[in-house]
Amino acid sequence: MFFSVALSDEYVREVVSDRLRQAERDRLADLAAGPSRPVRARVAGWLFAIARRIEGQPQATLVRAEA
């Protein structure tokens, strides 16, 4: 019984450390990729939405294409 509990505890520790390593790799990959949209594109979208609101046109649904 003790062997089974010790093996199970070691397995849980290994899985947790593997998940932490994977989360760190994902975080570093996100940092390397940068923001999803450039600041210029976000500002342009905001300005476009403000212009439509000022003109009284209904808001259009914009679809963002990201590569």
Side-chain angles (χ1 to χ4, degrees), residues 2-57:
F2 177 72
F3 179 72
S4 175
V5 172
L7 184 62
S8 175
D9 189 41
E10 181 63 31
Y11 175 74
V12 169
R13 272 191 239 128
E14 184 61 33
V15 168
V16 168
S17 66
D18 184 51
R19 298 287 162 85
L20 288 172
R21 284 191 301 269
Q22 181 63 38
E24 181 64 15
R25 282 193 300 264
D26 291 346
R27 185 186 73 79
L28 291 174
D30 287 343
L31 285 174
S36 60
R37 291 181 67 202
V39 174
R40 273 185 2 202
R42 284 186 274 162
V43 170
W46 296 332
L47 292 174
F48 182 74
I50 291 170
R52 289 187 69 93
R53 183 168 287 179
I54 289 172
E55 292 174 358
Q57 296 175 359

